[in-house]
Amino acid sequence: MDASTAPLAGKIAIVTGAARRNGRDTAYALAGAGAAVVVNTRASRAEAEAVAAEIRARGGRAMAMLADVTSEAEVAGMVAETVAEFGGLDILVNNAADRAIAPFTEMELSEWRRVTGIILDGAFLCARAALPHMIAAGGGRIINMGGVTGHIGAHQRAHVSTAKAGLVGLTKALAVEFGGHGITVNCVVPGKIGGPRSASSGEVPGSGGAKVLTGGEGATEEVAAMILHLCLPVSRFITGQSIHISGGVYLP
């Protein structure tokens, strides 16, 4: 694709938790559409550097950046460095998460706060740091990475389910507050993406028997494709929505 005519040419994106899976393929998708991409990770430096190097090898612009999304100072530094390097910030994908497992009655408060902090506090801190730059630019896109367990629940993942459900509320609140600035905010909700196929022909583990209507499992590239679509100019009229990529596990 000619960089000058790519649909996201001139746009700058941050993808948190972008060293692997959904985050990695989202970084590839945005870069393939012309955006400069910051590949964020908290600790997986080698993997994040590999993603950024692959984007550059394909002719795109990217850099890996270590930052803990639960740290106000590190998030502020990541956004400031992004703006200094690329000249602005137009797209934020809040993908960083931890899918920890713990029985609820044995869950320590520290573990609850750690997991909800990564998913929910991280999205809050990143969005708060990014929004002034989007407002100054006259528009932007924020995509929060939800999870189907936030809608149907899951065994031993009360902290994850709660935080993912919280992202839905955050998405709606930011869509209302910043829509007048040309900023759209949406939540992409994956379910049964990648990994070993279920022995129960599409049942989602820990979901109380919820079934994938289309059978099998989805792919990280399919999640990335939806995120890319929401970042394109043609999607300017979509905001405040939770869009499920789960083969019909949850029907709103």
Side-chain angles (χ1 to χ4, degrees):
M1 180 180 292
D2 183 348
S4 64
T5 60
L8 296 182
K11 301 298 184 183
I12 298 96
I14 291 176
V15 182
T16 68
R20 304 169 186 164
R21 289 180 55 76
N22 291 324
R24 174 198 62 209
D25 286 347
T26 295
Y28 288 153
L30 296 176
V37 180
V38 170
V39 180
N40 162 260
T41 183
R42 181 183 62 84
S44 303
R45 179 189 290 274
E47 290 172 294
E49 291 284 4
V51 173
E54 177 63 23
I55 290 172
R56 292 192 294 268
R58 298 177 185 181
R61 296 188 297 159
M63 66 176 179
M65 192 176 301
L66 290 180
D68 182 346
V69 298
T70 68
S71 166
E72 187 172 10
E74 291 187 31
V75 168
M78 174 173 65
V79 171
E81 190 171 343
T82 298
V83 173
E85 176 69 20
F86 293 123
L89 179 56
D90 307 285
I91 297 166
L92 169 65
V93 181
N94 285 314
N95 172 69
D98 189 316
R99 299 177 71 249
I101 296 175
F104 184 72
T105 55
E106 300 172 17
M107 189 181 297
E108 299 289 341
L109 179 59
S110 59
E111 176 67 357
W112 171 274
R113 287 178 171 168
R114 185 187 71 80
V115 172
T116 59
I118 294 169
I119 296 170
L120 196 50
D121 295 351
F124 160 72
L125 289 172
C126 289
R128 191 183 63 176
L131 277 162
H133 299 283
M134 296 181 182
I135 293 170
R141 300 284 191 269
I142 296 176
I143 313 295
N144 295 319
M145 189 73 81
V148 72
T149 62
H151 298 265
I152 65 175
H155 294 301
Q156 300 187 0
R157 283 184 175 160
H159 41 6
V160 178
S161 297
T162 300
K164 292 293 190 179
L167 288 178
V168 175
L170 179 64
T171 295
K172 293 178 179 180
L174 296 183
V176 170
E177 188 165 350
F178 296 100
H181 294 282
I183 298 167
T184 67
V185 188
N186 291 288
C187 186
V188 169
V189 187
K192 196 68 189 304
I193 302 296
R197 292 184 181 274
S198 170
S200 52
S201 297
E203 182 173 316
V204 177
S207 66
K211 297 284 186 178
V212 178
L213 301 183
T214 56
E217 61 192 15
T220 54
E221 294 88 351
E222 293 171 303
V223 178
M226 177 53 67
I227 294 172
L228 170 60
H229 180 72
L230 292 170
C231 293
L232 296 176
V234 72
S235 297
R236 68 169 189 85
F237 214 51
I238 304 172
T239 195
Q241 304 303 305
S242 292
I243 301 173
H244 292 252
I245 316 294
S246 64
V249 166
Y250 175 73
L251 302 177

